[in-house]
Amino acid sequence: MRQEQTIRAAVDCKGVGLHSGASVHLRILPAASGSGIIFRRTDLDDFEIEATGRNVARVSYATSLMKKGVLISTTEHLLSAFIGTGIDNAIVELDNLELPILDGSARPFVDMILKAGIRKQRRPRSYMRIQRELELREGDKFIAVYPADTYAVSYTIDFPHALIGRETFRVELSNGNYLREIAPARTFGFLHQADAMRQQGLIRGASTENAIVLTPDGLMNPPLRYQDEFVRHKVLDLIGDLALVGKQILGSIVADRAGHAMHTALVSRLLRDKTLWDETPLEDSMEESHQAAAAMVSNSI
Ligand SMILES: [Zn+2]
């Protein structure tokens, strides 16, 4: 039986929000089994917002949670790191409205979690096992989930740029694949859109230190970490958004040019329609794989 996990000790970091540009101090703390991921605004009397699809707020360039008018913004990279390292329970304290962007990927969060250490808890982990397929379409955007024995994600993007074009990346989240193939992939943006986005106040914290910046025919800040880093980052985002179902998933996700709004639409449908899945423990090597990968990465850094 696989058990729930939390971190062993508190860890923290400082950074700025990609969209707000606001300075923020973030601290991750261990949490009791069954609590899930809980965000806490220390600047607002420790107001707490659970990381669940029921609290999803407006979603455009990033995923935000809102409860009673209190906002937590850009949750997807940290939530992705929790899924990738097998953390079920944690408290995330922040003293501002947006999570820090750090280097634009999930790797700094993974490093923090590995530095804190992972602690197995008594309670068996219950997975969301997909029983029936669900497909959502919106124009040329598509996202679907199908039954599977493991958690697999396939993503396709299509940008008219010499370095991107049509790219597909498929990954099964076992054997350390998340840490090796997904966590280091950084967010990206196009220089020709930057001025307009900056004027709308959408990327106040963006810089060449925390995003891949694409010029009309190349890169402003080479090198890439992977030749197909762009589509890998979309996989990272998708995993972080789907974490809002509140469980590890056993299912195969297929997305084509989906984006945060469709990711969270899938979460809402899954939470609303309980005939699509059941809750089950797991007798399998997924969690051991996470730990083997964690040991491997901590040895290499
Ligand atoms: Zn992202």
Side-chain angles (χ1 to χ4, degrees):
M1 200 78 81
R2 299 297 139 205
Q3 291 147 273
E4 293 190 1
Q5 299 188 129
T6 186
I7 55 170
R8 281 187 187 278
V11 271
D12 71 333
C13 70
K14 284 186 174 155
V16 298
L18 175 66
H19 303 285
S20 61
S23 293
V24 60
H25 179 208
L26 177 138
R27 200 162 162 250
I28 310 175
L29 308 162
S33 56
S35 43
I37 307 299
I38 300 169
F39 290 97
R40 186 184 276 166
R41 286 281 301 267
T42 58
D43 57 325
L44 295 174
D45 291 331
D46 287 347
F47 188 86
E48 291 186 345
I49 306 182
E50 304 80 12
T52 160
R54 288 187 304 279
N55 291 331
V56 169
R58 118 196 106 71
V59 170
S60 50
Y61 292 98
T63 300
S64 299
L65 302 174
M66 189 169 346
K67 187 174 175 182
K68 295 184 177 163
V70 174
L71 195 68
I72 305 263
S73 194
T74 317
T75 54
E76 59 270 23
H77 299 172
L78 177 58
L79 293 180
S80 186
F82 284 144
I83 294 291
T85 53
I87 298 297
D88 303 283
N89 305 303
I91 292 164
V92 180
E93 291 186 343
L94 57 167
D95 63 357
N96 213 321
L97 82 170
E98 187 176 5
L99 274 76
I101 188 65
L102 305 174
D103 74 350
S105 79
R107 192 164 68 185
F109 292 128
V110 166
D111 291 346
M112 286 170 72
I113 293 163
L114 298 180
K115 183 178 151 210
I118 296 172
R119 184 162 65 83
K120 227 179 242 233
Q121 297 172 292
R122 289 230 179 102
R123 184 173 160 136
R125 176 189 284 156
S126 121
Y127 290 77
M128 173 185 273
R129 182 169 61 191
I130 304 300
Q131 295 284 29
R132 290 199 293 127
E133 68 178 50
L134 170 65
E135 299 182 332
L136 304 178
R137 273 191 186 79
E138 200 184 292
D140 58 4
K141 298 176 174 185
F142 175 81
I143 191 164
V145 59
Y146 306 95
D149 293 332
T150 58
Y151 188 17
V153 175
S154 170
Y155 215 113
T156 300
I157 58 172
D158 195 355
F159 286 98
H161 188 281
L163 293 176
I164 313 181
R166 192 170 170 86
E167 281 183 345
T168 298
F169 193 78
R170 184 178 188 285
V171 66
E172 195 176 292
L173 294 194
S174 56
N175 300 319
N177 284 344
Y178 179 85
L179 304 192
R180 237 181 356 249
E181 310 287 344
I182 304 299
R186 293 163 298 165
T187 194
F188 59 94
F190 296 91
L191 189 59
H192 71 272
Q193 293 172 350
D195 278 344
M197 289 180 75
R198 203 167 282 122
Q199 274 168 21
Q200 295 171 60
L202 292 172
I203 50 165
R204 292 198 172 108
S207 79
T208 51
E209 301 300 308
N210 57 36
I212 305 167
V213 181
L214 289 146
T215 58
D217 44 24
L219 279 185
M220 203 174 198
N221 51 346
L224 291 174
R225 293 178 176 176
Y226 310 94
Q227 196 205 329
D228 56 357
E229 189 167 355
F230 314 98
V231 69
R232 290 175 192 243
H233 185 78
K234 294 295 180 180
V235 172
L236 187 162
D237 280 342
L238 175 64
I239 292 167
D241 286 339
L242 292 191
L244 295 170
V245 302
K247 291 181 184 307
Q248 293 264 359
I249 295 172
L250 296 175
S252 172
I253 315 289
V254 177
D256 188 348
R257 287 161 286 176
H260 292 298
M262 283 199 84
H263 302 167
T264 52
L266 184 70
V267 169
S268 301
R269 285 289 295 273
L270 284 169
L271 290 178
R272 263 209 319 271
D273 186 351
K274 295 193 174 172
T275 68
L276 293 167
W277 49 277
D278 65 10
E279 284 183 57
T280 177
L282 181 72
E283 310 271 356
D284 142 356
S285 61
M286 258 181 108
E287 188 162 340
E288 279 162 12
S289 306
H290 285 314
Q291 287 175 343
M296 194 185 72
V297 170
S298 45
N299 289 339
S300 69
I301 53 181

